Amino acid sequence: MELLTLMAVLAGSLGLTAFARRFNQSAPLLIVVVALAISFVPGVPRVELDPELVLTVVLPPLLYSTSLDSSVAHFKSNLRPIVSLGVALVVVTALVVGLVVHLLLPDLPFASALVLGAVVAPPDAVTAVAIGRRLGLPRRVMAVLTGESLVNDAAALTLYKIGIAAALGTAGSIGGGVVVFAVATVVGIGIGLVIGMIVGLIRHKLDDPLIESTFGIIVPFAAYVAAEHVHGSGVLAVVAAGLFLGHKSLRYGSPATRMQDSSVWASIDVLLEALVFALMGLQLPFVLESAHAAARSDGTLAWCALVVLMVTMLVRIPAVFVSSYLPQTARLFGRERAVPPWRQLAVVSWTGMRGVVTLAAATGIPVDVPGRTEIQLFAFTVAIGTLLIQGLTLPALIRKLDVADPDEAVRDAEEEMAARTVAQAAAKERLTEILRERVSTMDVPPEKVEKIRQRLDTLIESRYRFAAAGISLSAEERVASPQAQFAKARRELLVIQREAMIAEREAGRLDDDILRKVLRELDLEELTLTSRLTPRAG
């Protein structure tokens, strides 16, 4: 891909992302639709998907970013549904699709059909999570979808490698394949945790937010490459490292590093997601050429492609319900929890949109694998078909079933209030200890100590009252509350201060370096106020 073409694709996809975010629409869907339309325009440069680029440059940072933001507690508490969907369902989908394709095309070896099954098995949760977050899906549903996306690629890519080896005649027994899968899982997770611990120690010693964030950018690539080099799962290595570092950063990371990491990875996510969905849509010319080269006079391939699309979409629906309603004695993973309402299960069963991993794996199939052209055609049909059919109908399904948990906001408010009360008590207790230490070690007049105590105590109380007053309010009440109006007034005063400082710089009375220092302080304070004015999700 030429550099100029790549820059054009990036610019266009980011522009479409901005448009979608401005009007609260799904950016992946918009980008794919526009890219598909552009691919028909004569004279448009050909943009071919490089599977190595996707699997080693694009996939690791996307997985790592999701892992950093994921809750280890949510992952553990939902381990059973995550494993069921991310591993068991991937295997079932690969086998069912492989069997159906082998029956439809008897000339295609079953090993090649299994490769196709592995290629189309892993859903991409980017679109589903974006839609779910926008429409307020319950936290448990979001945790399951996110967790599934962290492990399903590993299962599918391992099956993919086993299938390729079988298609080329270099594979061993089925038991050997199971051993390969187990070894890849253990080695991948082990390497990811080791890298996470090493990086955590280094970042803790650095105490430099800029270098810490820069150093963190290489983690997903290092974990992926290291694990793949020793035949482990690079995907699981990235996920393990991300979960470990994200969990530890809540206690040991500095506030500045956490803020900077959040901005850095959010920007990387937007850039890479926009790029990969644009590349998906632009693959249409290559697929049409392959289909034309392998076309049959009776239209068998087109019909088979539609059947594969339907099977891939429909196999997930009963699997989600069956795995959720298994007897209690079969619940081997995670703590025992109530079965989610059928409406939530229905939404989860319809979140099977495939993504760029499916296309990258199909594109990377060796040329001597039997049925390579048919596999690529079917994979493209499944990826684009599920993205358009399920992606476009998922918002309507969520609204129709009304799966939002009305009690979740109440529970969140109660938990936040309880935590703030504990934090307030701890702060006051420590304040008493600090003042007692100062009095015993320094010759400080009692009246000055009392003034310090009153000022700090007032600060603690004001922060507590401000938060407590807004926790139980609805989004509309929060915006109209006196606390919000006070914060809005403070924000306006900060804007005035910023303009005055800039005017001093323009008049030549203030150095640029000093201006940037002061503006950063004002920006941080305004960021805090803006977060208070923003209604909470859910």
Side-chain angles (χ1 to χ4, degrees):
M1 188 188 312
E2 293 184 1
L3 183 60
L4 183 61
T5 302
L6 177 61
M7 291 298 103
V9 172
L10 279 173
S13 56
L14 286 176
L16 291 171
T17 300
F19 180 86
R21 290 169 64 90
R22 174 67 177 81
F23 294 98
N24 199 28
Q25 299 299 315
S26 173
L29 293 176
L30 179 62
I31 293 172
V32 167
V33 170
V34 173
L36 285 170
I38 291 177
S39 68
F40 284 105
V41 177
V44 172
R46 302 283 298 273
V47 181
E48 187 172 3
L49 189 68
D50 184 348
E52 194 69 19
L53 173 70
V54 173
L55 296 179
T56 60
V57 177
V58 175
L59 183 61
L62 287 176
L63 287 172
Y64 183 70
S65 176
T66 303
S67 303
L68 284 176
D69 288 337
S70 297
S71 166
V72 173
H74 290 167
F75 192 92
K76 290 170 63 177
S77 64
N78 293 285
L79 185 59
R80 180 188 169 275
I82 288 173
V83 172
S84 297
L85 297 177
V87 179
L89 182 54
V90 166
V91 175
V92 170
T93 302
L95 293 175
V96 170
V97 170
L99 179 61
V100 169
V101 171
H102 186 59
L103 292 175
L104 293 174
L105 301 174
D107 296 339
L108 188 69
F110 181 72
S112 296
L114 184 61
V115 170
L116 171 63
V119 166
V120 301
D124 184 356
V126 172
T127 306
V129 169
I131 294 173
R133 186 179 293 116
R134 192 173 74 244
L135 298 179
L137 279 180
R139 184 177 293 113
R140 184 181 179 186
V141 175
M142 296 292 288
V144 170
L145 292 177
T146 302
E148 178 191 4
S149 71
L150 293 177
V151 300
N152 61 9
D153 288 337
L157 291 175
T158 304
L159 278 178
Y160 170 79
K161 293 177 182 178
I162 295 173
I164 291 291
L168 296 176
T170 59
S173 62
I174 296 178
V178 173
V179 171
V180 169
F181 183 84
V183 170
T185 299
V186 173
V187 172
I189 294 175
I191 289 179
L193 291 176
V194 169
I195 289 178
M197 287 186 284
I198 294 174
V199 171
L201 289 173
I202 295 175
R203 295 183 69 172
H204 184 63
K205 297 294 183 181
L206 286 175
D207 194 23
D208 185 332
L210 178 61
I211 300 300
E212 288 180 53
S213 294
T214 305
F215 188 75
I217 292 175
I218 69 172
V219 172
F221 306 105
Y224 186 89
V225 172
E228 290 290 326
H229 183 69
V230 294
H231 306 293
S233 171
V235 170
L236 289 180
V238 173
V239 170
L243 286 174
F244 180 87
L245 290 172
H247 182 68
K248 291 298 182 182
S249 69
L250 298 177
R251 175 178 291 273
Y252 301 111
S254 68
T257 301
R258 284 195 295 269
M259 287 182 61
Q260 187 156 276
D261 278 352
S262 177
S263 299
V264 167
W265 286 108
S267 299
I268 291 175
D269 282 349
V270 171
L271 178 66
L272 294 181
E273 288 171 5
L275 174 63
V276 296
F277 283 108
L279 291 176
M280 282 181 62
L282 293 173
Q283 298 313 295
L284 183 58
F286 299 98
V287 176
L288 292 178
E289 283 185 4
S290 299
H292 180 73
R296 305 188 183 191
S297 58
D298 56 358
T300 303
L301 283 186
W303 179 74
C304 288
L306 293 178
V307 172
V308 171
L309 171 61
M310 290 299 104
V311 170
T312 304
M313 292 170 54
L314 296 179
V315 71
R316 181 179 175 89
I317 297 175
V320 168
F321 283 90
V322 169
S323 65
S324 298
Y325 286 102
L326 283 175
Q328 295 291 323
T329 53
R331 295 173 182 265
L332 302 179
F333 301 98
R335 66 186 186 190
E336 201 169 285
R337 305 183 67 176
V339 176
W342 72 267
R343 289 181 174 85
Q344 294 183 12
L345 295 177
V347 169
V348 172
S349 70
W350 199 242
T351 56
M353 291 81 79
R354 269 55 181 178
V356 73
V357 172
T358 291
L359 288 185
T363 306
I365 295 174
V367 294
D368 48 352
V369 170
R372 180 176 184 266
T373 300
E374 289 84 351
I375 294 174
Q376 291 179 339
L377 172 63
F378 296 163
F380 181 86
T381 303
V382 170
I384 299 299
T386 54
L387 190 60
L388 295 181
I389 296 174
Q390 293 180 310
L392 290 174
T393 57
L394 182 60
L397 180 66
I398 294 174
R399 295 189 184 97
K400 180 68 175 178
L401 295 180
D402 189 22
V403 297
D405 184 356
D407 297 328
E408 189 169 84
V410 176
R411 292 195 300 270
D412 288 350
E414 293 174 350
E415 290 181 9
E416 182 180 349
M417 195 67 241
R420 287 185 179 275
T421 301
V422 172
Q424 180 198 31
K428 287 192 172 185
E429 181 179 352
R430 180 55 182 157
L431 173 60
T432 301
E433 295 175 356
I434 290 174
L435 295 179
R436 188 183 301 117
E437 293 171 359
R438 297 297 185 271
V439 171
S440 62
T441 58
M442 299 177 62
D443 186 14
V444 182
E447 60 273 12
K448 288 189 176 181
V449 173
E450 181 60 22
K451 285 183 179 180
I452 295 173
R453 187 197 66 77
Q454 289 178 356
R455 291 180 65 181
L456 291 175
D457 189 65
T458 300
L459 177 61
I460 295 172
E461 285 287 346
S462 64
R463 287 186 178 276
Y464 177 82
R465 289 197 303 269
F466 192 98
I471 285 176
S472 60
L473 299 178
S474 65
E476 295 76 13
E477 292 172 335
R478 176 174 295 216
V479 173
S481 67
Q483 292 80 11
Q485 297 304 315
F486 175 72
K488 186 176 180 181
R490 284 185 61 191
R491 185 175 182 274
E492 293 177 1
L493 294 178
L494 290 173
V495 172
I496 293 297
Q497 293 178 65
R498 182 183 294 106
E499 292 176 351
M501 298 293 292
I502 294 175
E504 289 296 296
R505 192 277 305 273
E506 296 296 335
R509 294 189 291 268
L510 184 64
D511 185 79
D512 272 356
D513 289 342
I514 300 176
L515 174 67
R516 291 191 179 94
K517 176 185 176 182
V518 177
L519 290 187
R520 175 170 174 78
E521 295 174 359
L522 297 178
D523 288 344
L524 289 173
E525 187 173 354
E526 184 176 349
L527 181 63
T528 302
L529 294 173
T530 301
S531 66
R532 291 177 178 175
L533 290 172
T534 302
R536 289 175 295 179

